[in-house]
């Protein structure tokens, strides 16, 4: 063989592989029109919201394929986009309900059927609620947040009537029925797959769906793909417009952006802030950013030991943080600033901005008056799983605090270990995000500031005055007491600064221009039922 | 022959036992607490202990190991917490994807590197020799995830000739019936040319990415082996006898140069199986590499152990195949020795 022939043959091989990529089939155009293609970084690990370790994407799978008794209404947010409304509770599987001081009685919708055709009965509701309060872990905990704790509270009166007996009067009981946890499961079908060791069919429901929701699961390949088909017999709400939803896992952020830009994917949440800003500027896609309700990115101190047990040191740091730089070069403006309020604690809202801003003069004066006039060395920790936001924040903070004599070493903690480290409450200083599903200031403070010292009280902050104000607000008899106590604990949090809020993050979503009807939900997952594709 | 294969497999048992022990201990040494992770964001310490007990992680390490061995003996690789499915089933589902990718990458690398290596040896010192050196050096010094992203950018985003980097098949195509698990092979076996073409289109960029990485060792080894073969006495004798040039290169030199090339091929194949991990991530390829790495990130022990064990078994098989091929290529090599 001659050199020329060699060249030809190897070039042909190379070309053959490269050309392998050229177009596929045009016949798919029709299917594409009725199908929504959603892409994300991670896929669900379970279809069962009650499962052990069900991840966030799992909430989305469950939300769209199961029904709950009630759901929430809708309102327009400040930018004119649809936003769920936690003040309006609306029917889903329940047709109507009556609430008395001691109980709530629900009537199920006529004609409601599970995906296998069996009718939904009150016995199914009871079985599902019993399961949620019995299996332990996250679902049980979430039910408890609404004072739903014991199977005896749930009564199937007849086929279509279901009653909940209250343990105590709790303003969160009704809203808690609309969160993703209290789903109605086809108990007849699930029981067939239950065993003596597994009476709640946890194994089977992890990969099999037994709901009555707007979409049935057609194919589930964990870590790869999930395909939904519309349930045309759904009675839970208006008939969804999208016929089929394909949800593919695309781990690489750059590729997710490329897929959106080329128009191959319809919708995605998971992109870096920088990409969202650039995509919004290019106007090729619809970008919606909604402030995540009741959520804050913050810097926390360990207040149980020096140097951060001293309030002057904490205040000095609060005056020295580079707030605006973080907004501009980490979040690219896609967050709500939570600093520099002219008149802090003017009302009883939450989240609200505190009065600190970057003022090195004030910071230095406070440091000079503290037990550490010459500064000190310590570490600032963050969760590597969220390095995209956390790492640049830490670098900016490190730079800024060096100017008031605090020398920081940045400590990167792998995602799997992060929660463990939080539980130990040993880290001197860290940055993190916390958000509460239920949008009440006292709910946020109960988890993040209360002396019960939950895992989210990352500061190990304990102050009887704070606890008293929080407890008062949780069970306040009237609006005036409620507002006064909220203002009290918010003011205390700003004055004592065990943690310094930086910003309220956005939930960003990028969609093709022909996709409409996007609605923000507190669970921060996609609801297919309102979406339409032109 | 069969007795020899049996002996070789028996000889591999100690190394596999070693792999089992080491992976078990290594996963336990990793930082991170799976119980705290899987108990969910709002877990109380009691809830975490409950999860720990349910996962069997409250037992002592030796007790866990005995349990693990018992499960393995029954063919049970455990349950993945990240995907919620049995590890064995996942590995069996995902292995063909990794193999298809690795084999295609290797095929490309061989098809390009071997002719290039031969040419470089035959024309040593010429421009083609230098070009081979440059191509090989560039290929091995570019990290695979970078090559992958670059190829996606050029062929998908800019030139728009490649399909979306979203796994093994277009979203709207359905996979061929399961025979071997290799989509292209299965589609061709069932006579479904359209699906075979679609699968090939999806495979092209990831395979190219892997192949480029593997070019260097193959091309360099082919060149070196060819050079020494071409400089040997028997080639000089063949030249002196007036044999044609192509006969000298192919029959005398190449056949003799094949043995080291084959050894390198075995090595390249095994490290491509490892390099897969990053390529699978970039192209959303549902193989065993991306499966293992996701499990590793969240300290999900069972898939990591299953993955390492599978890889160990693959290596044993691969070495065996290479040894058998030696005997075919060069009858002088006796396996018994």
């Amino acid at each position: 063989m001659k050199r020329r022939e060699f060249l030809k043959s190897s070039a042909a091989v190379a070309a053959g592989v490269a050309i392998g990529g050229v177009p596929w089939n045009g016949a798919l155009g029709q299917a594409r029109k009725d199908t929504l293609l959603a892409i994300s970084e991670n896929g669900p690990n379970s279809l069962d919201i009650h499962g052990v370790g069900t991840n966030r994407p799992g909430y989305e799978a469950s939300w769209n394929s199961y029904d709950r008794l009630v759901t929430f209404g809708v309102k327009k947010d400040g930018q004119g986009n649809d936003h769920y409304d936690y003040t309006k509770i609306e029917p889903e599987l329940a047709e109507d309900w009556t609430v008395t001081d001691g109980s709530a009685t629900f009537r199920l919708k006529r004609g409601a059927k599970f995906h296998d055709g069996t009718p939904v009965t009150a016995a199914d509701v009871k079985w599902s609620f019993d399961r949620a309060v019995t299996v332990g872990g996250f679902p049980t905990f979430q039910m408890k947040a609404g004072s739903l704790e014991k199977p005896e509270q749930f009564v199937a009166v007849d086929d279509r009537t279901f009653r909940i007996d209250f343990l105590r009067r709790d303003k969160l009981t009704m809203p808690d029925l609309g969160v993703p946890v209290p789903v109605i499961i086809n108990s007849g079908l699930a029981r067939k797959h239950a065993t003596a060791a597994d009476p709640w069919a946890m194994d089977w429901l992890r990969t099999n769906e037994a709901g009555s929701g707007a979409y049935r699961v057609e194919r589930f390949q964990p870590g790869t793909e999930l395909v939904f088909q519309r349930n045309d017999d759904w009675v839970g709400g208006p008939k969804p417009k999208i016929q089929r939803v394909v949800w593919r896992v695309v781990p690489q952020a750059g590729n997710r952006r490329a897929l959106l830009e080329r128009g191959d994917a319809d919708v995605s949440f998971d992109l870096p802030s920088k990409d969202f800003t650039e995509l919004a500027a290019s106007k090729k896609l619809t970008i919606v950013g909604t402030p995540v309700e009741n959520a804050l990115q913050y810097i926390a101190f360990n207040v149980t030991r020096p140097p951060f047990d001293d309030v002057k040191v904490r205040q000095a740091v609060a005056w020295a943080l580079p707030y605006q730089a973080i907004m501009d070069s980490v979040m690219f403006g896609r967050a709500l600033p939570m600093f520099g309020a002219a008149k802090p604690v003017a009302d009883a809202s939450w989240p609200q901005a505190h009065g600190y801003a970057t003022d090195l003069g004030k910071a230095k004066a406070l440091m000079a008056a503290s037990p550490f006039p010459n500064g000190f060395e310590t570490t600032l920790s963050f969760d590597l799983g969220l390095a995209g936001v956390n790492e640049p924040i830490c670098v900016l903070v490190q730079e800024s605090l060096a100017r008031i004599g605090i020398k920081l070493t940045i400590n990167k903690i792998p995602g799997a270990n992060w929660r463990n480290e939080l539980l130990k409450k040993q880290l001197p200083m860290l940055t993190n995000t916390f958000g509460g599903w239920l949008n009440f200031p006292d709910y946020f403070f109960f988890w993040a500031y209360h002396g019960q010292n939950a895992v989210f009280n990352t500061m190990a902050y304990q102050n009887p005055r704070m606890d008293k104000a929080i407890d008062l607000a949780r069970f306040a008899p009237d609006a005036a007491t409620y507002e006064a106590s909220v203002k009290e604990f918010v003011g205390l949090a700003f004055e004592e600064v065990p943690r310094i809020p930086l910003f309220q993050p956005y939930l960003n979503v990028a969609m093709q221009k022909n996709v409409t009807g996007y609605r923000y939900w507190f669970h921060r997952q996609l609801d297919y039922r309102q979406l339409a594709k032109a | 022959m069969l007795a020899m294969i049996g002996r070789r497999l028996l000889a591999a048992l100690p190394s596999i036992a070693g792999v089992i022990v080491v992976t078990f201990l290594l996963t336990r040494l990793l930082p991170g607490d799976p119980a705290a992770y899987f108990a969910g964001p709002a877990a109380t310490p009691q809830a975490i202990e409950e999860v720990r007990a349910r996962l069997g992680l409250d037992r002592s390490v030796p007790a866990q190991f005995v349990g693990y061995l018992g499960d393995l003996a029954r063919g049970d690789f455990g349950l993945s917490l990240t995907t919620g499915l049995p590890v064995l089933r996942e590995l069996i589902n995902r292995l063909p994807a990794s193999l298809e990718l690795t084999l295609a990458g290797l095929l490309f690398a061989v098809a390009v590197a071997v002719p290039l290596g031969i040419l470089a040896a035959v024309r040593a010192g010429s421009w083609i020799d230098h070009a081979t050196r440059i191509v090989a050096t560039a290929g091995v010094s570019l990290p695979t995830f970078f090559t992958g992203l670059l190829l996606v950018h050029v062929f998908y985003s800019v030139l728009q000739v490649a399909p979306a980097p979203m796994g093994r098949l277009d979203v709207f195509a359905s996979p061929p019936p399961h025979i071997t698990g290799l989509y292209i092979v299965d589609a061709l076996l069932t006579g479904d040319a359209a699906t075979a073409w679609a699968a090939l289109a999806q495979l092209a960029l990831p395979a190219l990415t892997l192949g480029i990485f593997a070019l260097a060792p193959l091309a360099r080894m082919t060149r070196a082996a060819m050079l020494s073969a071409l400089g040997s006495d028997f080639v000089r004798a063949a030249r002196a006898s007036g044999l044609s040039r192509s006969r000298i290169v192919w029959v005398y030199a190449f056949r003799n140069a094949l043995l080291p090339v084959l050894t390198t091929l075995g090595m390249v194949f095994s490290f491509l199986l490892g390099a897969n991990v990053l390529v699978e991530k970039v192209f959303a390829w549902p193989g065993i590499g991306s499966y293992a790495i996701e499990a590793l990130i969240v300290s999900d022990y069972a898939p990591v152990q299953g993955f390492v064990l599978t890889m160990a078994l693959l290596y044993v098989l691969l070495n065996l195949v290479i040894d058998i091929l030696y005997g075919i290529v060069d009858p002088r090599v006796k396996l018994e020795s």
Side-chain angles (χ1 to χ4, degrees):
Chain A
M1 194 180 261
K2 298 273 156 41
R3 181 178 73 186
R4 197 168 297 148
E5 281 164 277
F6 258 130
L7 275 178
K8 255 193 231 157
S9 64
S10 48
V13 169
V17 177
I19 294 168
V22 194
W24 35 90
N25 5 26
L28 299 170
Q30 188 57 33
R32 190 168 270 277
K33 224 184 72 206
D34 304 320
T35 303
L36 184 85
L37 177 57
I39 52 175
S40 68
E41 180 164 4
N42 298 300
N45 60 353
S46 168
L47 299 175
D48 181 8
I49 186 103
H50 298 161
V52 178
T54 300
N55 59 6
R56 268 188 162 284
Y59 303 171
E60 179 169 322
S62 168
W63 182 260
N64 288 289
S65 53
Y66 285 91
D67 283 327
R68 289 138 295 272
L69 285 178
V70 297
T71 189
F72 294 98
V74 62
K75 63 180 182 190
K76 291 282 178 197
D77 70 5
Q79 307 151 11
N81 297 310
D82 283 354
H83 190 292
Y84 93 100
D85 184 353
Y86 72 90
T87 60
K88 268 192 269 173
I89 293 178
E90 292 185 354
E92 192 156 282
L93 259 189
E95 189 170 77
D96 53 34
W97 52 90
T98 43
V99 183
T100 65
D101 272 350
S103 68
T105 308
F106 299 84
R107 221 148 47 98
L108 299 184
K109 278 186 186 163
R110 229 178 260 286
K113 276 188 289 202
F114 288 113
H115 294 158
D116 68 350
T118 48
V120 181
T121 66
D124 293 308
V125 184
K126 163 142 181 75
W127 190 82
S128 309
F129 280 31
D130 286 358
R131 187 176 192 258
V133 300
T134 312
V135 293
F138 164 69
T140 304
F141 160 83
Q142 181 63 43
M143 295 295 275
K144 210 177 269 176
S147 296
L148 303 164
E149 296 169 20
K150 298 186 190 118
E152 301 86 74
Q153 285 179 268
F154 313 124
V155 186
V157 180
D158 60 42
D159 267 5
R160 279 185 61 219
T161 317
F162 174 75
R163 194 181 74 230
I164 297 176
D165 294 327
F166 297 149
L167 288 178
R168 62 188 80 88
R169 198 87 181 99
D170 186 335
K171 68 181 173 203
L172 296 185
T173 301
M174 285 304 284
D176 205 29
L177 293 176
V179 303
V181 169
V183 290
I184 317 299
I185 302 166
N186 186 340
S187 65
L189 185 59
R191 273 203 187 111
K192 276 188 212 146
H193 298 273
T195 59
D198 179 21
W200 297 107
M202 302 295 277
D203 275 342
W204 188 76
L205 283 169
R206 184 164 40 216
T207 46
N208 294 279
E209 167 255 308
S212 57
Y215 287 88
R216 64 177 86 221
V217 173
E218 191 181 275
R219 186 161 74 231
F220 176 36
Q221 288 178 306
T224 309
E225 150 177 275
L226 185 56
V227 182
F228 297 93
Q229 188 73 36
R230 184 173 63 199
N231 167 20
D232 287 330
D233 299 328
W234 189 50
V235 297
K239 186 175 168 182
K241 297 189 183 64
I242 306 270
Q243 209 172 31
R244 205 155 171 265
V245 179
V246 177
W247 177 3
R248 278 264 175 125
V249 177
V250 179
Q252 226 284 324
N255 282 353
R256 286 196 294 277
R257 178 173 170 171
L259 287 165
L260 284 165
E261 284 190 303
R262 274 280 312 271
D264 280 333
D266 292 315
V267 53
S268 181
F269 280 116
D270 303 331
L271 289 175
S273 284
K274 184 165 181 279
D275 282 345
F276 277 117
T277 312
E278 287 170 10
L279 289 175
S282 81
K283 307 225 181 287
K284 271 197 291 189
L285 298 160
T286 309
I287 308 292
V288 177
T290 317
V292 178
E293 269 182 352
N294 220 4
L296 288 171
Q297 175 92 28
Y298 62 90
I299 301 267
F301 307 106
N302 186 330
V303 300
T304 59
R305 61 185 66 181
F308 295 119
D309 58 343
D310 187 83
V311 68
K312 288 211 177 66
V313 174
R314 301 201 297 262
Q315 287 172 343
V317 173
W319 284 112
L321 290 181
Y323 300 100
Q324 196 55 46
I326 290 172
M327 284 296 297
D328 296 341
S329 51
V330 181
M331 299 314 290
F332 297 88
R334 299 196 73 80
L336 286 184
M338 280 295 140
F339 53 89
K343 211 169 142 258
V345 211
D347 56 31
S349 68
W350 185 259
Q352 59 168 297
H354 55 70
Y356 301 96
T358 318
D359 184 336
L360 291 180
K362 277 187 187 161
K364 281 178 183 154
L366 279 161
M367 278 300 279
S370 80
F372 305 92
N374 301 318
F376 52 85
E377 286 185 24
T378 187
T379 59
L380 171 59
S381 309
F382 71 89
D383 176 2
L384 259 184
L386 301 165
V389 171
N390 286 334
E391 190 158 19
I393 289 181
C394 289
V395 171
L396 287 172
V397 170
Q398 184 186 37
E399 223 173 76
S400 196
L401 292 195
R403 285 186 224 152
I404 60 165
I406 300 177
K407 219 177 139 227
L408 291 179
T409 311
I410 294 178
N411 177 24
K412 306 173 183 183
I413 298 179
N417 213 15
W418 177 246
R419 202 161 292 138
N420 215 17
E421 289 294 328
L422 287 188
L423 271 170
K424 284 194 227 152
K425 310 208 179 202
Q426 303 280 323
L427 303 173
M429 193 176 176
L430 58 91
T431 185
N432 195 23
T433 313
F434 171 71
W437 266 1
L438 302 172
N439 191 16
F440 296 92
D442 40 321
Y443 186 79
F444 186 102
F445 273 74
F446 181 67
W447 292 114
Y449 285 91
H450 194 281
Q452 62 157 342
N453 215 353
V455 56
F456 304 119
N457 182 349
T458 41
M459 313 78 78
Y461 177 71
Q462 283 168 311
N463 179 346
R465 246 180 86 202
M466 175 68 88
D467 296 355
K468 209 176 132 215
I470 296 171
D471 291 337
L472 194 59
R474 286 181 70 209
F475 303 104
D478 57 76
T481 327
Y482 181 73
E483 280 193 16
S485 45
V486 169
K487 280 188 184 175
E488 157 106 13
F489 64 62
V490 171
L492 205 55
F494 288 171
E495 188 191 310
E496 292 248 298
V497 281
R499 61 160 73 180
I500 312 169
L502 298 174
F503 55 81
Q504 184 176 8
Y506 273 10
L507 176 69
N508 294 303
V509 61
M511 295 170 282
Q512 296 301 333
K513 287 278 182 204
N514 61 347
V515 177
T516 51
Y518 167 74
R519 186 178 298 179
Y520 170 87
W521 282 95
F522 57 89
H523 49 65
R524 292 180 243 164
Q525 301 294 327
L526 196 59
D527 190 333
Y528 314 137
R529 302 174 300 185
Q530 297 98 29
L531 290 175
K533 191 173 166 185
Chain B
M1 186 74 168
L2 279 179
M4 182 276 301
I5 292 175
R7 268 201 305 280
R8 285 294 302 264
L9 288 179
L10 271 183
L13 283 182
S15 18
I16 292 179
V19 164
I20 291 175
V21 175
V22 170
T23 40
F24 181 85
L25 289 178
L26 272 185
T27 46
R28 263 58 183 183
L29 282 177
L30 285 177
D33 181 352
Y37 190 87
F38 288 102
T44 56
Q46 299 94 286
I48 292 175
E49 285 315 311
E50 266 174 44
V51 171
R52 196 188 307 285
R54 210 173 315 165
L55 300 179
L57 295 174
D58 55 339
R59 295 176 295 165
S60 69
V61 170
Q64 287 182 42
F65 185 61
V66 171
Y68 174 57
L69 286 185
D71 286 346
L72 272 188
R74 275 180 282 118
D76 180 2
F77 278 39
L79 197 72
S80 160
L81 294 165
T82 26
T83 63
L85 291 180
V87 171
L88 189 63
R89 193 171 122 197
E90 292 255 54
L91 287 176
I92 289 173
N93 282 343
R94 285 165 168 267
L95 190 58
S98 290
L99 281 182
E100 187 171 40
L101 174 58
T102 312
L103 287 174
L106 199 64
L107 206 65
F108 165 77
V110 169
V112 175
V114 171
L116 271 183
I118 294 174
L119 264 182
V122 172
R123 313 260 162 176
S126 71
W127 65 270
I128 190 109
D129 191 12
H130 293 300
T132 306
R133 189 171 299 132
I134 291 170
V135 167
T137 313
V140 80
S141 49
L142 291 173
T144 44
F145 66 87
F146 178 77
T147 326
L149 288 178
L150 192 71
L151 290 179
V152 169
H153 183 69
V154 172
F155 289 102
Y156 174 67
S157 298
V158 178
L159 297 180
Q160 318 212 335
V161 290
M166 262 196 298
R168 298 178 77 185
L169 266 186
D170 184 77
V171 171
F172 300 97
S174 42
H178 185 94
I179 302 170
T180 60
L182 309 176
Y183 279 4
I184 298 177
V185 176
D186 288 357
L188 288 178
L189 283 178
T190 50
D192 185 353
T195 305
W197 180 247
L200 183 66
Q202 294 289 128
L203 185 62
L205 288 190
L208 207 60
T209 310
L210 263 188
I212 287 175
F213 189 60
L215 279 181
L218 283 175
R220 303 298 298 163
M221 187 48 79
T222 312
R223 178 178 177 273
M226 278 301 281
L227 272 182
S228 79
L230 284 172
S232 61
D233 290 344
F234 61 83
V235 168
R236 199 183 310 163
R239 281 213 185 100
S241 314
L243 291 181
S244 76
R245 195 187 159 101
S246 67
R247 195 166 165 79
I248 292 172
V249 169
W250 287 108
V251 177
Y252 290 90
F254 185 63
R255 183 82 192 268
N256 279 289
L258 207 52
L259 218 50
V261 173
L262 203 59
T263 315
T264 318
L265 200 65
M267 272 165 51
V268 167
F269 187 69
S270 50
F271 83 56
L272 278 193
L273 274 175
N276 252 345
V277 173
L278 289 172
V279 180
E280 286 176 8
K281 270 282 185 207
V282 171
F283 290 94
W285 200 261
I288 53 173
S290 53
Y291 176 61
I293 202 82
E294 266 153 45
L296 196 60
I297 288 171
V298 298
S299 304
D300 188 0
Y301 297 154
V304 179
Q305 289 164 351
F307 169 77
V308 177
L309 191 58
T310 314
M311 290 303 249
L313 292 175
L314 272 180
Y315 282 1
V316 168
L317 283 179
L318 188 70
N319 279 325
L320 186 66
V321 169
I322 296 282
D323 282 358
I324 294 172
L325 282 180
Y326 276 172
I328 295 169
V329 168
D330 189 344
R332 287 170 300 177
V333 178
K334 282 278 177 291
L335 283 160
E336 268 67 25
S337 56

